[in-house]
Amino acid sequence: MQEAAGVLKEGFLVKRGHIVRNWKVRWFVLLQDKLLYYKIEGGKKEPSPKGRILLDGCTITCPCLEYENRPLLIKLKTKTNTDYFLECCSREERDSWALDITGAIHAGHPVQVQELHRMKNSFKLLENISLHHIVERMCDSSTGIKLTRNLQQGNRYKETFTGSALVDWLISNSFAVSRFEAITLASMLMEENFIKPVGARSTEATRFSDLSEQFLDDSTALYMFAESSKKNISSKEELQFNISELSGTIVKQGFLVKQGHKRKNWKVRKFVLRADPAFLHYYDPTKVENRPVGGFSLRGCLVSALEDNGVPAGVKGNVQGNLFKIITKNDIHYYIQASSKAERAQWIEAIKPLT
């Protein structure tokens, strides 16, 4: 899915519609002065862009916390006051897109670019900062950090937030300028017993002697307010998938295009690869519910790249290419497209050791 020369970045993002406020996956191409987005039909990018976002005079908000159930948003406001909301599949991808878009917006202003890099790498806590004040703001019912139920290692915890969500909230509420600064603040909140880690991922990190390494800027590390630290295990009936399937360590995640089993149509899905136990789940990124729409164990699976010359047997439609196939031990065939040969190789390399 390559574009003309001058492309700074490209990939799948989920975009909010302007007229009907639904969410659709689009292929975005970042150029020096604009962001183009394309519709994907039949597994292939359409030749002409569906729309464009002019970057001259744009302002960018990242993290953007306007949608409670979509924490990985970037907001762009054009100079004509049109708002665009773009969702990424991971915090790392969101920050990468935000940095590249910001660079393109200020490309003609080298002083501003230098200032951005200085702010990104600076470390200066606000003077006379009050941790009590931060916690009061965190607890505000309308503007505070959103508390959710989270699953980890077979337990469901009530009223928790993730490490990356707290970092996002601290930055968006101007308590910190950079992620490094926000992590230090969060570590102080933990050291003073305002918040506490729950679950193995975040608890394990507290064993580090260095304070800066005790708090994790991670979407799988769970925390809660110290006075609400009781965990509550949910009934298995609440879960669409077996608890153990979703408790593994996330090895890789990203947007890929998958062929349906019945209609043989192609849809963009967010894939999450987990180890211990080894599972590959896929999600509908346009939906609010963060529940898999499918998934399977990788034990006994075969994974291989498919040649791009011609349409392989079992594949329907006018596909873009960069195909690979996973055959489960029950002989179910999954056909998946990556956005490039390099991305396909990365996914195959990540999956193979888990089969």
Side-chain angles (χ1 to χ4, degrees):
M1 297 182 182
Q2 292 300 316
E3 198 42 52
V7 172
L8 301 176
K9 190 180 186 69
E10 56 185 333
F12 286 117
L13 297 171
V14 185
K15 175 184 169 292
R16 193 196 72 175
H18 284 296
I19 301 171
V20 180
R21 295 298 172 88
N22 56 354
W23 298 81
K24 298 287 186 184
V25 179
R26 297 289 182 247
W27 180 260
F28 278 78
V29 177
L30 177 62
L31 304 176
Q32 289 286 354
D33 58 346
K34 65 178 75 72
L35 192 57
L36 306 177
Y37 54 94
Y38 296 77
K39 191 175 179 181
I40 301 293
E41 282 293 336
K44 189 172 185 179
K45 184 188 74 176
E46 292 191 337
S48 300
K50 187 173 178 63
R52 66 194 68 221
I53 304 170
L54 299 178
L55 297 178
D56 180 40
C58 251
T59 57
I60 182 170
T61 303
C62 179
C64 170
L65 306 182
E66 291 190 27
Y67 286 85
E68 178 181 342
N69 294 314
R70 295 184 181 274
L72 299 174
L73 283 178
I74 296 169
K75 178 182 178 182
L76 293 176
K77 183 184 281 291
T78 68
K79 66 179 180 182
T80 56
N81 287 323
T82 303
D83 290 339
Y84 290 89
F85 292 91
L86 312 176
E87 185 179 32
C88 304
C89 72
S90 67
R91 197 262 298 166
E92 292 78 13
E93 186 189 65
R94 181 200 62 189
D95 292 352
S96 173
W97 270 102
L99 190 61
D100 288 340
I101 292 171
T102 303
I105 290 172
H106 298 294
H109 308 279
V111 174
Q112 285 180 289
V113 174
Q114 288 175 7
E115 178 65 13
L116 283 166
H117 283 286
R118 187 195 66 76
M119 286 178 61
K120 180 174 179 288
N121 298 317
S122 70
F123 174 63
K124 183 183 178 183
L125 287 175
L126 299 174
E127 291 183 9
N128 303 317
I129 195 159
S130 165
L131 297 182
H132 287 278
H133 174 61
I134 293 175
V135 174
E136 284 176 8
R137 289 279 300 277
M138 286 175 67
C139 294
D140 188 281
S141 58
S142 57
T143 60
I145 192 162
K146 304 302 179 187
L147 302 178
T148 59
R149 289 188 298 176
N150 277 286
L151 175 73
Q152 193 172 93
Q153 289 197 326
N155 293 331
R156 178 160 288 200
Y157 296 92
K158 294 176 67 176
E159 298 186 330
T160 63
F161 46 87
T162 66
S164 57
L166 177 53
V167 170
D168 288 348
W169 185 88
L170 289 169
I171 294 172
S172 65
N173 284 272
S174 303
F175 288 114
V177 219
S178 66
R179 301 197 79 82
F180 178 62
E181 190 172 311
I183 290 167
T184 304
L185 260 183
S187 300
M188 292 166 65
L189 289 170
M190 192 165 63
E191 188 181 36
E192 295 298 321
N193 202 35
F194 288 108
I195 64 173
K196 68 180 294 180
V198 290
R201 183 86 176 86
S202 53
T203 305
E204 177 69 22
T206 60
R207 297 179 182 177
F208 288 105
S209 56
D210 187 349
L211 178 65
S212 65
E213 295 179 333
Q214 291 188 3
F215 180 88
L216 297 178
D217 179 9
D218 191 299
S219 60
T220 63
L222 301 183
Y223 298 88
M224 57 172 45
F225 291 113
E227 65 272 18
S228 330
S229 57
K230 292 182 180 178
K231 66 182 182 182
N232 185 26
I233 302 174
S234 70
S235 65
K236 290 183 180 179
E237 288 73 25
E238 288 184 20
L239 301 176
Q240 182 180 345
F241 286 80
N242 187 293
I243 284 176
S244 64
E245 289 186 26
L246 302 172
S247 64
T249 303
I250 294 177
V251 175
K252 186 174 177 62
Q253 56 187 329
F255 293 126
L256 297 168
V257 189
K258 175 187 166 292
Q259 180 177 265
H261 286 296
K262 294 179 180 177
R263 295 180 59 195
K264 305 298 181 186
N265 55 346
W266 292 87
K267 296 286 187 184
V268 178
R269 295 289 182 245
K270 175 184 174 178
F271 279 78
V272 178
L273 177 63
R274 293 181 172 91
D276 301 320
F279 274 84
L280 185 62
H281 292 98
Y282 48 95
Y283 301 70
D284 184 344
T286 66
K287 303 298 183 187
V288 171
E289 300 83 12
N290 189 29
R291 277 184 265 174
V293 294
F296 50 92
S297 170
L298 290 171
R299 295 303 178 198
C301 284
L302 297 173
V303 57
S304 60
L306 297 175
E307 295 300 328
D308 292 339
N309 49 346
V311 180
V315 174
K316 306 292 182 183
N318 184 20
V319 299
Q320 188 80 33
N322 306 311
L323 284 159
F324 64 99
K325 177 170 69 172
I326 301 174
I327 306 174
T328 69
K329 64 180 180 182
N330 298 325
D331 200 34
I332 299 173
H333 293 226
Y334 289 86
Y335 295 97
I336 302 167
Q337 292 185 67
S339 60
S340 66
K341 283 184 171 59
E343 186 184 43
R344 175 176 66 181
Q346 290 165 9
W347 272 98
I348 292 173
E349 185 180 343
I351 291 170
K352 272 187 176 179
L354 302 177
T355 61

